[in-house]
Amino acid sequence: MDQFTINLLFVGASFALYIGIAIWARAGSTSEFYAAGRGVHPVTNGMATAADWMSAASFISMAGLIAFTGYDNSTYLMGWTGGYVLLALLLAPYLRKFGKFTVSKFIGDRFYSPTARMVAVICLIVASTTYVIGQMTGVGVAFGRFLEVSNTAGLLIGACVVFAYAVFGGMKGVTYTQVAQYCVLIMAYTIPAVFISLQLTGNPIPALGLFGDHAASGEPLLAKLDQIVQELGFNEYTAHHGDTFNMVLFTLSLMIGTAGLPHVIMRFFTVPKVSDARWSAGWTLIFIALLYLTAPAVGAMARLNITEQFWPNGTEGQAVSVEQIETDETYAWMQTWQKTGLLGWEDKNGDGRIQYYNDANPEMQERAAANGWDGNELTNFNRDILVLANPEIANLPGWVIGLVAAGGLAAALSTAAGLLLAISSAVSHDLLKGQLTPNMSERAELMSARIAMAVAIAVATYLGLNPPGFAAQTVALAFGLAAASIFPALMMGIFSKRVNNTGAVAGMLVGLLVTLVYIFLHKGWFFIPDTNSFTDADPLLGTVKSTSFGAIGALLNFGTAILVSKLTAEPPKHIQELVESVRVPRGAGAAVEGH
């Protein structure tokens, strides 16, 4: 059986499972559509939240970014994991106790203002749409590979699939679909990693194998990797080379952006009690850790495998020949990925070999001149293909490659569905039902939610054809927008009785607009290519890249909200009492008196 057929079987079986679950758990009311009837068990919700949160950025893109940069891109791991802890401890239980379906409903009620709710809806739509662009980028990569079509065709096919099952299931269908997707994606991520760790280190646990010895050379694996990449003119893999200030800002931006993401926060409204929200958060962290402890090993081992494939005789020997790439089964993955347009090579100097090295390094330029090389001949290696290509690069069995194809799609589709739910609920429940047409029937509300999803998919698919970065980089922009606009409003709404409606609205607008403009100046206006004035290699403000600006946007939001609130009237007494009741557990006062 050929690899294409195996891929179709695995992906087809997983899709049949998802669609079957979506039909079985189809939402019949708005309560089931938005919050799954609030009857989801904490362990089930933990799995669904993990699948919702571990998007294409985590599954498909993150290990690739770590693989080709090394230590400096460990910020993705630190920021996203730390942010989830922040969300679990500081926001989830309080928002669940408040008891509203959506983040914007909380902001509207807490700041006693339809305007605040409207601004929150706009912030959510902007952040979520940017996030969906990153997911659709991942969908395009995954569908392009397993159907062996171009990335563009894969993206269009994936958009149709996302629309089909997200629109009909609602939160109830998506919750149980995401449990299945979590099981698929975690097996698809860890099984190849176990195989590769055994191959390279003899250790079946990838996270331990990363710090073990390289079986072939007897050297520590990371020392071996450092040696090889430096011999080819690249930065030392395990060392810090970037700007520390930007690194700190980026990590902070990812952390507080995680805590402000609407599609994750919505999941805590699906459990019966406040205590269940806490348990859900704990279970989610365990399920997330299974992938996040494995990702650094996947990145490092894949980089070593790729480098050794291009230099099979060592870095001092001859590079791989074009004939070997075209005839050797070990290199068949290159031919397959070339069809997607995400991998490319060119024999520039006509010597029949493909030299892969850092041609920007002056020392390597001298070596290249001496050897007659004419620049790096691996002309295109999209970072988003690495995890999906990893089992093929390591020459693992066909069923493992099929499983990874199914896992990549599960990761991208699960988060895309959650984000589309957040967008649809913001438009139909908060904007239309909450503000513009309060007498709308439940049937009309569900229809408007589904139409909003369709529009969001169309926009994200169009922008996904020319994304502003790799999947994880695009998602980082969305985290920055959530950090600058939503997170401060939620924090001040829960922990400050003094911040009023005027301050909250002013803060959200300043945070969103300043961050959005900074991103557009670096990534192009509305992400249209070649309309940018700066690049992340040469940013507007010192060393602060567009992906890191969310933390500064959040500071501006906090500062504006506090300043404006001090200059205007205090919130009404009942709002201050509401904040107090949300924050203090029931019975706490009696316990203090008893003492």
Side-chain angles (χ1 to χ4, degrees):
M1 192 182 294
D2 67 357
Q3 189 58 55
F4 182 74
T5 308
I6 293 171
N7 289 349
L8 280 179
L9 284 174
F10 270 87
V11 174
S14 63
F15 268 68
L17 176 64
Y18 306 152
I19 291 167
I21 291 171
I23 292 168
W24 165 72
R26 191 170 185 269
S29 66
T30 50
S31 175
E32 289 185 340
F33 191 88
Y34 295 132
R38 297 190 177 178
V40 180
H41 191 277
V43 177
T44 306
N45 197 46
M47 269 195 192
T49 308
D52 206 347
W53 189 74
M54 288 191 302
S55 61
S58 291
F59 187 99
I60 293 175
S61 191
M62 180 175 65
L65 289 172
I66 293 171
F68 282 90
T69 302
Y71 173 82
D72 283 339
N73 271 350
S74 62
T75 45
Y76 285 96
L77 291 167
M78 294 185 290
W80 281 334
T81 312
Y84 187 79
V85 174
L86 199 65
L87 169 65
L89 294 177
L90 288 183
L91 295 179
Y94 303 112
L95 289 172
R96 177 62 188 85
K97 188 174 181 184
F98 195 84
K100 300 299 179 187
F101 278 139
T102 63
V103 170
S104 42
K105 185 80 167 76
F106 167 80
I107 290 173
D109 287 5
R110 159 60 185 88
F111 294 109
Y112 52 98
S113 166
T115 308
R117 186 174 178 180
M118 290 280 283
V119 171
V121 168
I122 292 165
C123 294
L124 293 176
I125 291 172
V126 170
S128 297
T129 303
T130 307
Y131 204 148
V132 176
I133 296 168
Q135 300 316 302
M136 297 312 289
T137 304
V139 167
V141 172
F143 269 100
R145 165 60 190 93
F146 100 81
L147 292 177
E148 296 184 13
V149 296
S150 71
N151 185 49
T152 300
L155 179 59
L156 296 174
I157 294 165
C160 296
V161 174
V162 171
F163 177 77
Y165 91 89
V167 163
F168 293 111
M171 182 60 91
K172 187 179 178 187
V174 165
T175 293
Y176 294 103
T177 303
Q178 284 174 339
V179 171
Q181 285 168 330
Y182 175 79
C183 295
V184 171
L185 76 85
I186 202 66
M187 284 193 295
Y189 204 85
T190 52
I191 288 172
V194 168
F195 271 106
I196 293 166
S197 183
L198 278 169
Q199 277 182 358
L200 291 177
T201 68
N203 193 320
I205 302 171
L208 298 179
L210 178 64
F211 297 100
D213 290 339
H214 183 232
S217 65
E219 299 175 50
L221 180 84
L222 288 172
K224 175 71 175 173
L225 180 56
D226 273 341
Q227 175 198 333
I228 289 178
V229 295
Q230 287 182 94
E231 284 173 356
L232 294 175
F234 296 102
N235 284 331
E236 187 181 353
Y237 191 86
T238 56
H240 173 44
H241 302 283
D243 177 72
T244 304
F245 178 63
N246 181 74
M247 191 179 189
V248 170
L249 276 184
F250 181 63
T251 307
L252 183 59
S253 185
L254 291 183
M255 282 182 68
I256 61 177
T258 300
L261 279 172
H263 74 292
V264 176
I265 291 171
M266 280 176 71
R267 295 234 55 94
F268 294 104
F269 297 121
T270 65
V271 292
K273 304 192 296 290
V274 177
S275 59
D276 291 337
R278 292 184 189 277
W279 277 108
S280 288
W283 280 110
T284 304
L285 201 55
I286 291 169
F287 293 132
I288 287 169
L290 292 177
L291 188 145
Y292 269 53
L293 288 172
T294 307
V298 169
M301 292 174 186
R303 179 71 181 275
L304 186 60
N305 274 336
I306 291 164
T307 309
E308 288 185 332
Q309 276 210 342
F310 279 95
W311 295 94
N313 305 305
T315 53
E316 295 301 320
Q318 293 282 356
V320 66
S321 68
V322 175
E323 182 187 358
Q324 190 172 356
I325 290 173
E326 291 173 350
T327 58
D328 190 337
E329 272 299 305
T330 309
Y331 293 85
W333 67 276
M334 291 181 66
Q335 308 284 344
T336 310
W337 279 102
Q338 190 181 33
K339 294 175 188 174
T340 67
L342 300 172
L343 181 71
W345 61 92
E346 179 190 352
D347 183 12
K348 295 176 182 176
N349 61 351
D351 66 349
R353 298 187 178 276
I354 300 298
Q355 283 91 21
Y356 162 56
Y357 65 100
N358 181 10
D359 53 12
N361 185 318
E363 289 181 19
M364 289 305 295
Q365 288 169 359
E366 289 177 21
R367 181 179 167 190
N371 291 327
W373 300 346
D374 196 18
N376 177 27
E377 295 178 338
L378 181 61
T379 52
N380 180 23
F381 195 115
N382 188 293
R383 307 295 186 258
D384 289 345
I385 77 172
L386 184 126
V387 169
L388 296 180
N390 205 18
E392 298 170 89
I393 296 166
N395 207 22
L396 297 184
W399 68 268
V400 179
I401 297 167
L403 181 62
V404 170
L409 291 172
L413 295 178
S414 61
T415 305
L419 287 162
L420 291 168
L421 272 170
I423 293 169
S424 67
S425 64
V427 172
S428 61
H429 190 69
D430 295 311
L431 188 61
L432 297 178
K433 176 91 171 173
Q435 302 294 324
L436 305 178
T437 52
N439 297 321
M440 176 188 281
S441 68
E442 190 167 285
R443 184 183 178 86
E445 187 182 346
L446 281 174
M447 180 55 67
S448 65
R450 285 166 175 151
I451 292 169
M453 273 190 186
V455 173
I457 289 173
V459 171
T461 302
Y462 173 73
L463 292 171
L465 294 170
N466 285 295
F470 300 119
Q473 292 171 331
T474 306
V475 167
L477 295 174
F479 275 69
L481 290 166
S485 57
I486 302 297
F487 175 75
L490 292 175
M491 285 295 289
M492 291 182 289
I494 293 169
F495 294 104
S496 171
K497 292 188 283 188
R498 182 61 185 88
V499 176
N500 60 22
N501 54 357
T502 316
V505 169
M508 283 190 288
L509 286 174
V510 167
L512 177 69
L513 292 174
V514 173
T515 306
L516 204 53
V517 167
Y518 196 83
I519 287 171
F520 285 161
L521 284 170
H522 292 76
K523 297 295 184 183
W525 291 92
F526 302 100
F527 300 131
I528 297 168
D530 302 321
T531 59
N532 57 304
S533 305
F534 303 90
T535 66
D536 281 335
D538 185 21
L540 170 61
L541 291 178
T543 58
V544 180
K545 297 181 180 181
S546 57
T547 47
S548 310
F549 192 80
I552 295 175
L555 280 175
L556 292 172
N557 186 333
F558 276 116
T560 303
I562 292 166
L563 180 63
V564 171
S565 295
K566 283 189 174 179
L567 297 174
T568 48
E570 282 191 8
K573 196 72 179 168
H574 72 277
I575 293 294
Q576 295 188 41
E577 289 170 357
L578 173 69
V579 173
E580 193 69 34
S581 70
V582 167
R583 218 169 52 225
V584 178
R586 208 178 270 117
V592 170
E593 286 165 21
H595 178 74

